[in-house]
Amino acid sequence: MRTFWLAGRAATGDTELTVTNPHDGREVARHSVPTDAQVEEAVAAAHAVAKEAAALPVHVRAEALAHVSRRIAERAEEIAQLITAENGKPIVWARGEVGRAVATFRFAAEETRRWSGGVQRLDTEPAAAGRLAYVSRVPHGPVLAITPFNFPLNLVAHKVAPAIAVGAPVIVKPAPATPLSSLLLGEILAETDLPAGMFSVLPIENERASALVQDPRLPVVSFTGSAPVGYAIADQVPRKHVTLELGGNAAAVVLADADLDWAAQRIALYSNYQAGQSCIAVQRVIVERPVYDAFVERLVPAVAGLVTGDPADEKTQVGPLVSEAAAARVEQWVQEAVSAGAKVLAGGTREGATVAPTVLADVPHDAKVACEEVFGPVMILQPAASIDEAYAMVNDSRYGLQAGVFTRSLDAAFRANRELEVGGVIVGDVPSYRADQMPYGGVKDSGVGREGLHSAMEDYTYEKVMVLTGLSL
């Protein structure tokens, strides 16, 4: 049985839960579940250590983060196998996630060493002669990190690493389906010299998270997940600092001047990587009409050629969804679209928790697969008469996380940057591209705040000004 991490030490509770493999249903591991008293102990410890954490020397924080990066790299294959087992993610993608987590903690260590205050001369007016402002950033306080199942290591890293970097204690509440990667990360964190109370990993049931959200000793809530849950959290605690990385129905635009072969290969793969369970997986494909038929001729075979199967197989590109219930929902949405007139160009079938990579055309505008987040291996094709219509179609969504634009035109690229209502525009590639150091987040129902190490560090802190008086400048 796996222990959890309470204020930096291994602990067990009174009950346990079982984690199963989505592909074959086998038991992966059992883990202990914290009691209410243990959850209280973790929160109290985070609150008690907050001032000490904020005052930690830069080298202590940076070296702790660098240690985590090194240890993840050393245990990379073990961790990748664990991600595949608990999440169902094909091993090729799991190894990629581990590599990204290594980089995420390394970037955090580097940002910590650069994280410093600035100065501003105030003697720009006679009344402020001899005055200088020192501007620093101070943690809001302990961070509650509520993390999702789809990237059970790296999306935890994107909350834990910036918290440690700025000197904020962090309590991780992992997704119930995939807590094992977080627990292993806790094991590595326990090897560092961080003070007791600096971190806890509490694998509790979702219904128990509300008490943590509302606890005033946790002034920052960082949540990644669905829009309804995220905004419900924000509504519960309007006076807290809440960051939300929510859903999307990401669009890839293929303009008439694009390299159609490249676009087809990338869109085929990144509509279906992680079994489509990524906020920036390609869901809507908007193609200028002059090249629509030629593009479809390339795309459909590329999708049909993807290898679907056992996620432990080195050749598998598309594995199961996180549960059979999730797959059944995706299948139902596809059937609803087909009943309303959509045409299936590829896939459209389900076997257990696995949905075949699916391409739909002629999808009604109000179908769920068009206007909601599918979170499965499904894309819809939409022709556009012009670049004007294509960009308008991207914006015709309540989501705005990232968009991809395949074009050779700099003018079209900068126009996309001006006009598209999203947090990120990826030119020449799919919206699924993310570098872990870059600002990442969305607008509209895709959330508020930004991840990416420096951006998250700013989100977890506030500016503080000290004015020095009577100086000879």
Side-chain angles (χ1 to χ4, degrees), residues 2 53 56 109 116 149 153 159 174 187 368 383 389 427 447 460 462:
R2 305 289 180 100
L56 281 174
S116 187
F149 71 82
L153 178 67
K159 299 182 188 301
E187 177 185 333
K368 290 177 182 175
E389 185 178 23
V427 178
Y460 292 171
Y462 61 91

Side-chain angles (χ1 to χ4, degrees), residues 276-414:
Q277 297 170 123
S278 167
C279 299
I280 45 178
V282 180
Q283 182 172 332
R284 297 179 294 147
V285 184
I286 300 166
V287 187
E288 271 201 288
R289 195 174 295 279
V291 295
Y292 180 85
D293 291 338
F295 177 74
V296 173
E297 289 175 0
R298 291 165 169 80
L299 177 69
V300 173
V303 171
L306 295 172
V307 179
T308 303
D310 183 348
D313 190 321
E314 301 279 346
K315 297 178 181 179
T316 297
Q317 296 168 291
V318 184
L321 278 75
V322 72
S323 67
E324 189 165 348
R329 176 194 57 78
V330 172
E331 179 187 39
Q332 180 184 9
W333 284 20
V334 170
Q335 291 174 347
E336 288 176 0
V338 171
S339 297
K343 296 178 181 177
V344 178
L345 303 186
T349 60
R350 174 177 72 89
E351 183 177 345
T354 300
V355 175
T358 300
V359 181
L360 301 176
D362 300 332
V363 176
H365 181 269
D366 59 352
K368 290 177 182 175
V369 294
C371 58
E372 299 294 335
E373 181 179 36
V374 174
F375 225 60
V378 178
M379 75 175 89
I380 66 169
L381 294 173
Q382 301 171 293
S386 64
I387 186 173
D388 295 347
E389 185 178 23
Y391 287 1
M393 290 167 72
V394 174
N395 291 338
D396 186 18
S397 171
R398 65 188 183 92
Y399 295 106
L401 191 47
Q402 292 197 159
V405 180
F406 288 88
T407 182
R408 293 183 173 94
S409 166
L410 278 176
D411 183 65
F414 277 94

Side-chain angles (χ1 to χ4, degrees), residues 41-381:
E41 183 181 349
V43 176
H47 178 69
V49 82
K51 289 185 178 180
E52 178 186 352
L56 281 174
V58 165
H59 71 87
V60 173
R61 288 178 265 152
E63 180 49 37
L65 293 163
H67 173 85
V68 174
S69 177
R70 290 192 298 268
R71 291 290 285 139
I72 293 174
E74 291 167 1
R75 300 177 64 177
E77 184 61 20
E78 171 197 354
I79 298 171
Q81 295 289 345
L82 182 63
I83 290 171
T84 292
E86 69 170 337
N87 174 274
K89 181 176 301 192
I91 188 65
V92 63
W93 299 115
R95 288 177 182 141
E97 179 175 352
V98 174
R100 289 180 60 188
V102 170
T104 297
F105 277 99
R106 186 182 72 246
F107 291 145
E110 294 165 355
E111 284 293 339
T112 303
R113 295 188 187 279
R114 287 192 288 265
W115 190 251
S116 187
V119 295
Q120 182 179 5
R121 289 185 63 148
L122 302 179
D123 60 343
T124 54
E125 301 296 328
R131 294 182 186 267
L132 183 77
Y134 171 71
V135 184
S136 58
R137 298 196 72 92
V138 179
H140 290 290
V143 175
L144 171 61
I146 303 177
T147 61
F149 71 82
N150 57 329
F151 288 85
L153 178 67
N154 198 43
L155 290 187
V156 179
H158 269 286
K159 299 182 188 301
V160 170
I164 293 172
V166 301
V170 58
I171 291 178
V172 176
K173 188 273 176 209
T178 57
L180 303 179
S181 300
S182 293
L183 295 174
L184 191 149
L185 180 59
E187 177 185 333
I188 294 175
L189 284 165
E191 299 170 354
T192 69
D193 294 328
L194 294 171
M198 190 73 178
F199 74 93
S200 293
V201 182
L202 305 178
I204 60 174
E205 304 87 342
N206 285 339
E207 55 268 23
R208 297 173 62 193
S210 180
L212 285 172
V213 168
Q214 297 182 52
D215 196 306
R217 294 168 293 179
L218 302 174
V220 177
V221 179
S222 179
F223 171 84
T224 298
S226 71
V229 175
Y231 285 121
I233 287 172
D235 290 343
Q236 283 183 60
V237 286
R239 296 185 181 182
K240 284 195 176 189
H241 186 82
V242 178
T243 66
L244 303 174
E245 200 280 277
L246 306 178
N249 58 359
V253 177
V254 181
L255 296 179
D257 67 333
D259 181 335
L260 298 186
D261 291 322
W262 166 254
Q265 293 170 14
R266 298 293 285 178
I267 289 171
L269 184 59
Y270 283 93
S271 176
N272 299 291
Y273 87 122
Q274 321 285 344
Q277 297 170 123
S278 167
C279 299
I280 45 178
V282 180
Q283 182 172 332
R284 297 179 294 147
V285 184
I286 300 166
V287 187
E288 271 201 288
R289 195 174 295 279
V291 295
Y292 180 85
D293 291 338
F295 177 74
V296 173
E297 289 175 0
R298 291 165 169 80
L299 177 69
V300 173
V303 171
L306 295 172
V307 179
T308 303
D310 183 348
D313 190 321
E314 301 279 346
K315 297 178 181 179
T316 297
Q317 296 168 291
V318 184
L321 278 75
V322 72
S323 67
E324 189 165 348
R329 176 194 57 78
V330 172
E331 179 187 39
Q332 180 184 9
W333 284 20
V334 170
Q335 291 174 347
E336 288 176 0
V338 171
S339 297
K343 296 178 181 177
V344 178
L345 303 186
T349 60
R350 174 177 72 89
E351 183 177 345
T354 300
V355 175
T358 300
V359 181
L360 301 176
D362 300 332
V363 176
H365 181 269
D366 59 352
K368 290 177 182 175
V369 294
C371 58
E372 299 294 335
E373 181 179 36
V374 174
F375 225 60
V378 178
M379 75 175 89
I380 66 169
L381 294 173

